[in-house]
């Protein structure tokens, strides 16, 4: 019986990353969520959802990722939780590689260009308190994680 810890090219999978089946399921789930957001539906599992538009850090190809977000003084705050995984997700790497090529799409609206900034210090702590209060399950995930979840502020340009 295989452990499923190999990539499609036969090399060992990096710990903390999803396997082939998990990636397939995530792609299908993301496609459905993007359709829901474009159709005007704003929530999933009790969390507000937006579509983040980024550019692939290596490929340069446009990417769309549905994500949970929290409003904060007219901006959006994203939690880089990666489903509790030990590594930041690809969308975070794309966002930090091309912070000026980012847009958000709110339910039923066209994409709006935003400026992305990773929060630190007092800004992060204040935003984290809002996240933990609004979504206690995210705080529980953070308590079990081996890394501190980055928070990203998206401000309209």
């Amino acid at each position: 019986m295989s452990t499923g810890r190999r990539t499609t090219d036969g090399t060992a999978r990096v710990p903390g990353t999803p396997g082939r089946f998990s990636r397939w399921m995530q792609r299908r789930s993301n496609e459905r969520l993007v359709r829901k957001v474009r159709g005007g539906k704003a929530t999933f599992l009790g969390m507000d959802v937006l579509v983040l538009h980024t550019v692939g850090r290596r490929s340069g190809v446009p990417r769309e990722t549905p994500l949970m977000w929290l409003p904060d003084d007219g901006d959006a705050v994203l939690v880089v939780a990666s489903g509790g995984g030990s590594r930041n997700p690809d969308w975070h790497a794309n966002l930090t590689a091309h912070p000026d090529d980012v847009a958000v799409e709110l339910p039923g609206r066209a994409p709006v260009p935003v400026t992305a900034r990773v929060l630190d210090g007092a800004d992060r702590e204040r935003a984290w308190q809002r996240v933990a209060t609004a979504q206690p399950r995210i705080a529980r995930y953070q308590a079990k994680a081996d890394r501190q979840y980055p928070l990203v502020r998206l401000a309209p340009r």
Side-chain angles (χ1 to χ4, degrees), residues 14-93:
V14 176
T17 61
R20 187 173 19 173
F21 180 72
S22 292
R23 288 190 313 270
W24 180 84
M25 288 295 294
Q26 188 66 51
R27 276 193 306 275
R28 296 303 168 266
S29 177
N30 284 353
E31 290 167 359
R32 291 184 71 206
L33 269 175
V34 167
R35 283 194 306 270
K36 282 181 73 172
V37 169
R38 289 189 175 141
K41 304 274 193 240
T43 61
F44 178 73
L45 296 174
M47 297 180 282
D48 290 332
V49 178
L50 58 72
V51 177
L52 180 70
H53 294 258
T54 58
V55 174
R57 68 186 180 283
R58 292 184 301 244
S59 68
V61 173
R63 305 287 184 196
E64 296 177 346
T65 309
L67 297 169
M68 182 276 298
W69 70 285
L70 291 132
D72 188 28
D73 295 331
D75 297 340
V77 172
L78 304 178
V79 179
V80 187
S82 189
S86 61
R87 295 176 38 162
N88 291 338
D90 289 341
W91 67 260
H92 180 260

Side-chain angles (χ1 to χ4, degrees), residues 69-134:
W69 70 285
L70 291 132
D72 188 28
D73 295 331
D75 297 340
V77 172
L78 304 178
V79 179
V80 187
S82 189
S86 61
R87 295 176 38 162
N88 291 338
D90 289 341
W91 67 260
H92 180 260
N94 295 340
L95 183 141
T96 56
H98 302 287
D100 296 324
D101 284 331
V102 180
V104 295
E105 187 176 344
L106 295 174
R109 299 186 194 164
V112 174
V114 295
T115 300
R117 182 173 65 89
V118 177
L119 299 176
D120 58 8
D123 287 341
R124 186 200 182 280
E125 186 55 34
R126 186 183 69 74
W128 177 253
Q129 291 307 316
R130 289 190 67 154
V131 168
T133 299

